[in-house]
């Protein structure tokens, strides 16, 4: 497929997604959403679910731990585990607003796809010690074409039940064939290191306000403590303790922005024993002390 085709396909995707709002906008297609325009910075600091994100206009950066990735309409972003991240979106150089679509990953669909395809087609069976869980890759004409057919269903909603599952499988198939397909393969392989780390992440998320017991987590996923630390950091760019801290701070920020509670109450609610330590770490993470940041977020909501 030519560059002209790619340009035309991207233009069609922009047209189809043009009514997206500056927040997650459902498309009517299962697991497919879109967003457009300026998004408040605090709304982009969140725990992101596993997804494939395609930029149609403008650009975006995602920072997890000390790792920052930049991507634009020539690339797509893949995240295969739940990650606390900070994002920033930018309009196109010509002034058009940021515009993107995303597909939330369904582990069952990926596993079924692997069962229904040959090893050669998806790379299954290839040895890999990689546990990286997020990265950026160049968009291909085949992947772009699958996205076009998927979003066209917004104009033909009666066809969604019959055709969306096939197009979703094709999008996942094209990603499996790409340079980071190993993320999806490992996630859908129960004994892989990435699948085990994903299991540990779910435990940390459910118990984020409780003391973190590394030995128990390592035992749960059948790893030594040193191997657990190594694979966890490789996957998330964070240590388990840093991951838990990010969860706590993000949850506290949500509480402060929506409940109007005190800083001390928010700190205790997410597991901090020292409000002073909480305030210090919160300001380091978000640039302002909790009370000032809460006031800024509320003002943004009113605006």
């Amino acid at each position: 497929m030519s560059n002209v085709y790619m340009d035309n396909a991207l233009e069609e995707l922009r047209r189809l997604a043009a009514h997206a709002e500056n927040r997650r906008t459902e498309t009517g297609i299962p697991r497919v959403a879109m967003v457009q325009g300026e998004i408040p910075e605090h709304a982009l600091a969140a725990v992101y679910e596993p997804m494939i994100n395609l930029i149609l206009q403008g650009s975006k950066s995602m920072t997890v731990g000390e790792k920052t990735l930049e991507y634009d309409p020539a690339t797509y972003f893949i995240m295969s585990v739940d990650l606390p991240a900070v994002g920033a979106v930018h309009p196109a150089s010509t002034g058009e607003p940021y515009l993107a679509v995303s597909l939330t990953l369904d582990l069952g669909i990926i596993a079924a796809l692997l069962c229904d395809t040959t090893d050669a087609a998806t790379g299954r069976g290839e040895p890999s010690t990689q546990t990286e869980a997020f990265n950026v890759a160049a968009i291909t004409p085949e992947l772009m074409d699958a996205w076009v057919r998927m979003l066209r269903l917004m104009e033909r909603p009666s066809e969604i039940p019959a055709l969306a599952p096939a197009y979703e499988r094709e999008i996942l198939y094209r990603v499996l064939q790409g340079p980071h397909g190993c993320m999806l393969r490992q996630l859908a392989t129960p004994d892989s290191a990435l699948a085990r780390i994903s299991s540990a992440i779910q435990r940390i998320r459910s118990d984020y306000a409780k003391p973190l017991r590394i030995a128990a987590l390592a035992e749960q996923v059948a790893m030594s403590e040193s191997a657990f630390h190594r694979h966890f950091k490789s996957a998330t760019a964070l240590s388990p303790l840093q991951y838990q801290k990010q969860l706590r701070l993000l949850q506290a920020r949500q509480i402060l922005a929506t409940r109007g509670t005190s800083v001390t109450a928010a700190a205790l609610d997410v597991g901090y024993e020292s409000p002073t330590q909480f305030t210090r770490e919160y300001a380091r993470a978000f640039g302002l002390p909790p009370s000032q940041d809460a006031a800024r977020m509320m003002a943004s909501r009113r605006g």
Side-chain angles (χ1 to χ4, degrees):
M1 297 184 189
S2 67
N3 289 336
V4 172
Y5 169 82
M6 292 286 279
D7 291 342
N8 290 340
L10 187 57
E11 193 58 40
E12 182 173 2
L13 286 172
R14 289 169 178 160
R15 178 187 64 79
L16 290 166
H19 64 281
E21 302 175 21
N22 64 341
R23 57 181 176 81
R24 179 183 171 89
T25 307
E26 299 300 333
T27 61
I29 305 168
R31 289 171 292 282
V32 177
M34 53 192 178
V35 66
Q36 179 174 216
E38 295 183 14
I39 307 170
E41 180 274 333
H42 63 81
L44 288 166
V47 179
Y48 288 79
E49 295 182 339
M51 64 171 177
I52 298 163
N53 191 215
L54 178 65
I55 303 296
L56 307 180
Q57 200 164 256
S59 62
K60 185 175 185 178
S61 65
M62 289 285 281
T63 300
V64 183
E66 297 179 354
K67 183 175 180 179
T68 298
L69 296 174
E70 307 278 349
Y71 57 119
D72 56 29
T75 57
Y76 65 93
F77 177 84
I78 177 171
M79 176 181 287
S80 58
V81 300
D82 297 15
L83 287 175
V86 177
V89 301
H90 312 284
S93 59
T94 49
E96 289 86 359
Y98 168 81
L99 181 63
V101 294
S102 64
L103 171 66
T104 300
L105 299 181
D106 184 303
L107 185 57
I109 295 173
I110 297 169
L113 181 60
L114 287 172
C115 288
D116 295 341
T117 53
T118 64
D119 290 359
T122 59
R124 187 174 63 256
E126 294 179 3
S128 175
T129 57
Q130 180 181 356
T131 50
E132 179 183 59
F134 63 105
N135 214 321
V136 170
I139 187 76
T140 63
E142 293 79 13
L143 181 55
M144 182 79 83
D145 188 54
W147 271 108
V148 169
R149 282 179 281 118
M150 177 69 96
L151 289 197
R152 280 176 183 165
L153 293 177
M154 289 193 294
E155 297 182 329
R156 300 190 296 270
S158 63
E159 298 180 4
I160 289 174
L163 297 179
Y167 298 156
E168 180 175 8
R169 281 170 60 94
E170 183 176 355
I171 289 170
L172 294 171
Y173 177 76
R174 298 304 179 189
V175 174
L176 278 164
Q177 290 182 311
H180 306 305
C182 57
M183 292 186 199
L184 300 188
R185 290 192 295 272
Q186 287 200 51
L187 192 62
T189 305
D191 289 338
S192 73
L194 186 57
R196 296 186 204 183
I197 294 302
S198 179
S199 173
I201 284 173
Q202 296 309 311
R203 178 70 175 272
I204 295 172
R205 289 202 67 182
S206 64
D207 296 339
Y208 71 88
K210 299 178 182 178
L212 189 62
R213 306 192 185 284
I214 300 297
L217 279 174
E219 182 179 3
Q220 172 190 320
V221 298
M223 289 182 180
S224 68
E225 289 187 43
S226 61
F228 176 67
H229 268 285
R230 184 174 68 255
H231 286 300
F232 196 100
K233 185 68 177 286
S234 174
T236 68
L238 297 162
S239 71
L241 284 170
Q242 288 172 329
Y243 188 102
Q244 183 197 50
K245 181 195 292 186
Q246 290 297 311
L247 289 182
R248 287 179 168 183
L249 292 172
L250 287 166
Q251 181 61 26
R253 199 181 203 198
Q254 180 69 15
I255 291 170
L256 289 167
T258 58
R259 298 186 197 171
T261 190
S262 70
V263 171
T264 297
L268 296 175
D269 202 26
V270 300
Y272 275 86
E273 296 180 357
S274 167
T276 301
Q277 180 187 2
F278 167 74
T279 297
R280 183 171 60 250
E281 293 182 351
Y282 188 105
R284 188 181 303 131
F286 303 123
L288 285 175
S291 56
Q292 293 181 35
D293 189 45
R296 177 179 63 173
M297 289 186 288
M298 290 179 180
S300 174
R301 285 172 181 267
R302 290 193 297 268

